[in-house]
Amino acid sequence: MDAIAELRGKYLHQIRAAADAAALEQVRLAALGKKGEISQQMRSLGRMSADERQTAGPALNELKSEIDAALKARRAALEDASLDARLQAEWLDVTLPGRPRPRGTIHPVSQVMDELTAIFADMGFSVAEGPQIESDWYNFDALNIAPEHPSRQEMDTFYMHRDSGDNRPPHVLRTHTSPVQIRAMQDRGAPLRVIAPGRVYRMDMDQTHTPMFHQVEGLAIDRDITMAQLKWVLEEFCRAFFELDAVELRFRASHFPFTEPSAEVDIRCSWEGGQLKLGEGDDWLEILGSGMVHPHVLRSGGIDPEVWQGFAFGMGIDRIAMLKYGIPDLRAFFESDLRWLRHYGFAALDQPSLAAGLSR
Ligand code: DAH
């Protein structure tokens, strides 16, 4: 009897003292494991006399259940305590403001390229591309620009360096997107409807000129394309792009080697109070050059001018971006000043689409 009381005292104490689940398991094994003290006692019942067994049996069983219950209670208590400790340690203040993450913006030039691509795509134009380093054949000759034409002069055009003895034909940084006309004609043939937005380069630098800027070229070729369609396409474009019901365009006779006839196109505007307004007023602002594609140019592109004809235009993207978004200085476009980019940039999810409207 005493032995049982002693076991009870010993194990209840050890159970209370167990500091964690591992220590508690040790106590369990020592008491109730296969070779545990209480288990051995129970096995020894078989060697006792019937009388002894009468008293020892129930007492041992009771001890076993008592220890069992104490183990369970202690295990639960330890688990609660460790959960409490974790909750304490992993405490999180959900009311704290989130950490700001740096977020970029879409450059106005990219935004405007996306906008105009959406508008022309709606009119059936697909996007064509060409290299920024272009042979002088594509940049000039194929476009009917004569060898003595002033735009070929070193002072306008960036020529690629050639070592002496390197007799490859000259290459230039393309001075306009017009060479993409030739590439598109060669690649796709007629009929054809493409725009070609991209970077162009000229040696020029002041408030309205940077050595690199952006143009979009347009080209439509079919059997019966006329200047009336050119006018409609450009008016539709301006209406959608500038989000104006009333736009008025003025076609001024001009000259480009690659078109005949040629026209420069102005948009009606006012400068009242130093503020530019499009679509009203008595001033005109030039926004692009255009015309009917010259037969020589069609031939350079492998297209028969007896069968096909078309219109073309070239427009400054930076310029129409400045007009639409009221950006005063062209040079700021390419200075990568973060304050400017944050001010004039667009949210990444602000994707232009005709259905959603094109404005911010
Ligand atoms: N390539 C001309 C320039 O850079 C712009 C231009 C004018 C393009 C008339 C055309 C066009 O396609 O027909 O100034």
Side-chain angles (χ1 to χ4, degrees), residues 233-351:
V233 164
L234 292 177
E235 278 172 357
E236 272 308 293
F237 169 75
C238 288
R239 226 192 306 282
F241 180 77
F242 293 114
E243 298 169 50
L244 291 171
D245 292 332
V247 281
E248 205 182 323
L249 298 184
R250 178 174 80 174
F251 281 59
R252 240 179 325 104
S254 181
H255 173 78
F256 299 104
F258 28 90
T259 43
E260 182 59 37
S262 304
E264 281 175 300
V265 177
D266 305 334
I267 187 166
R268 185 184 281 283
C269 68
S270 82
W271 282 105
E272 246 179 323
Q275 176 86 3
L276 174 70
K277 275 213 185 103
L278 296 176
E280 58 179 64
D282 298 322
D283 277 322
W284 295 93
L285 202 72
E286 184 195 323
I287 53 166
L288 62 94
S290 65
M292 298 301 291
V293 182
H294 196 290
H296 288 355
V297 174
L298 290 171
R299 241 177 251 120
S300 305
I303 287 176
D304 182 356
E306 300 297 331
V307 181
W308 306 98
Q309 58 189 33
F311 67 69
F313 60 85
M315 184 160 48
I317 291 180
D318 318 272
R319 189 177 176 86
I320 60 170
M322 291 168 76
L323 293 177
K324 179 167 179 179
Y325 294 112
I327 302 170
D329 188 339
L330 175 70
R331 288 170 300 191
F333 271 80
F334 311 119
E335 278 169 358
S336 301
D337 182 330
L338 280 177
R339 291 163 302 177
W340 188 92
L341 292 169
R342 285 192 191 112
H343 180 77
Y344 286 110
F346 291 80
L349 292 176
D350 194 2
Q351 295 294 318

Side-chain angles (χ1 to χ4, degrees), residues 120-190:
F120 281 114
D122 193 51
M123 294 193 265
F125 288 78
S126 57
V127 172
E129 283 182 321
Q132 295 177 40
I133 297 173
E134 189 57 284
S135 76
D136 70 343
W137 186 82
Y138 278 103
N139 196 77
F140 297 122
D141 301 79
L143 290 161
N144 198 36
I145 301 174
E148 63 282 357
H149 194 277
S151 69
R152 293 208 186 201
Q153 309 276 282
E154 297 263 355
M155 49 182 298
D156 264 41
T157 304
F158 289 106
Y159 279 86
M160 302 306 288
H161 172 75
R162 284 274 188 267
D163 286 330
S164 59
D166 182 342
N167 294 321
R168 284 176 298 168
H171 276 65
V172 301
L173 291 181
R174 69 181 180 194
T175 58
H176 49 183
T177 42
S178 303
V180 187
Q181 287 188 32
I182 308 296
R183 294 185 174 274
M185 286 189 259
Q186 290 177 335
D187 291 351
R188 307 187 191 187

Side-chain angles (χ1 to χ4, degrees), residues 28-172:
R28 189 189 69 80
L29 287 171
L32 301 179
K34 251 199 192 126
K35 294 186 178 142
E37 230 175 336
I38 297 176
S39 311
Q40 277 174 358
Q41 292 277 335
M42 297 191 79
R43 270 196 294 278
S44 72
L45 285 175
R47 293 190 299 271
M48 293 179 185
S49 69
D51 267 1
E52 283 172 323
R53 214 170 19 239
Q54 279 278 316
T55 46
L60 270 174
N61 269 327
E62 197 189 315
L63 173 65
K64 184 179 178 243
S65 351
E66 196 179 336
I67 296 295
D68 233 358
L71 281 166
K72 273 206 189 81
R74 182 68 184 149
R75 191 174 302 126
L78 284 173
E79 274 166 11
D80 281 356
S82 89
L83 181 61
D84 277 351
R86 257 188 71 195
L87 287 175
Q88 279 294 324
E90 297 174 12
W91 181 81
L92 194 67
D93 183 354
V94 293
T95 68
L96 276 179
R99 284 192 199 91
R101 297 201 190 183
R103 216 176 339 128
T105 57
I106 305 291
H107 194 283
V109 170
S110 306
Q111 178 77 12
V112 163
M113 279 199 195
D114 289 349
E115 289 175 7
L116 62 85
T117 302
I119 296 169
F120 281 114
D122 193 51
M123 294 193 265
F125 288 78
S126 57
V127 172
E129 283 182 321
Q132 295 177 40
I133 297 173
E134 189 57 284
S135 76
D136 70 343
W137 186 82
Y138 278 103
N139 196 77
F140 297 122
D141 301 79
L143 290 161
N144 198 36
I145 301 174
E148 63 282 357
H149 194 277
S151 69
R152 293 208 186 201
Q153 309 276 282
E154 297 263 355
M155 49 182 298
D156 264 41
T157 304
F158 289 106
Y159 279 86
M160 302 306 288
H161 172 75
R162 284 274 188 267
D163 286 330
S164 59
D166 182 342
N167 294 321
R168 284 176 298 168
H171 276 65
V172 301

